[in-house]
Amino acid sequence: ICAGGIQAQAVVCKKLGDNSVVSAHYCNSENKLPEKQRACNTEPCTSVWIVGEWTECSRTCNGGLRTRDVTCVQKVTASEQKVLDDSYCNSERPMIKESCSNHTCPPEWVPLDWSECTPSCGMGNRHRIVLCKSSDYTVTYPAS
């Protein structure tokens, strides 16, 4: 336990015979002692890694990258923490990036340039070849 707290000592009205707690109206309110408080668990907390969520992968296939925030923090109070230099966290820093979507992308249709129009005047035709290629364009597959 760390980052400080308050320890309170309550003052209650007790029956003399058996030391049991009774209603406050049985005791003289003028003689009531003040409640006492003192600080406790004032030791600094150990620094820890706070790890964020992974981002979406940068690619859907053929290997992408995803990242996340990883921060070294120390709890200062019950509701406050401070960011520290990474050297203050004793354990190994969790990964902040990793590869993802390492499967091969499917082949895709790749159109080549259009041919010249034939004949050169009047109604004519142009054609082009469309190839089935691997996603990295290194392999041409048969069209069938």
Side-chain angles (χ1 to χ4, degrees):
I1 300 179
C2 58
I6 301 288
Q7 192 174 40
Q9 180 184 34
V11 177
V12 295
C13 184
K14 290 190 173 187
K15 188 176 181 180
L16 287 177
D18 61 4
N19 217 22
S20 61
V21 177
V22 295
S23 175
H25 77 272
Y26 289 112
C27 292
N28 182 346
S29 62
E30 293 177 12
N31 295 339
K32 184 178 179 184
L33 297 172
E35 288 191 356
K36 292 182 182 176
Q37 291 186 344
R38 68 177 180 181
C40 60
N41 299 326
T42 56
E43 302 80 26
C45 293
T46 305
S47 51
V48 295
W49 295 110
I50 299 295
V51 180
E53 295 293 320
W54 286 109
T55 60
E56 202 169 304
C57 191
S58 62
R59 299 189 65 177
T60 57
C61 54
N62 280 0
L65 189 69
R66 64 183 191 162
T67 61
R68 64 183 176 182
D69 290 328
V70 176
T71 310
C72 181
V73 298
Q74 182 181 40
K75 190 175 182 180
V76 179
T77 66
S79 60
E80 182 186 354
Q81 61 187 21
K82 65 179 177 179
V83 176
L84 302 174
D85 184 77
D86 288 354
S87 62
Y88 286 93
C89 278
N90 293 328
S91 61
E92 186 177 336
R93 184 178 198 213
M95 291 189 334
I96 60 169
K97 60 184 174 181
E98 70 177 4
S99 62
C100 52
S101 298
N102 293 319
H103 57 282
T104 303
C105 290
E108 54 189 81
W109 291 106
V110 179
L112 301 181
D113 291 336
W114 287 101
S115 68
E116 293 294 319
C117 191
T118 56
S120 58
C121 63
M123 188 73 121
N125 291 313
R126 295 188 336 162
H127 71 276
R128 67 178 177 178
I129 297 171
V130 180
L131 302 173
C132 181
K133 299 281 254 176
S134 61
S135 60
D136 63 0
Y137 302 120
T138 59
V139 177
T140 302
Y141 298 106
S144 53

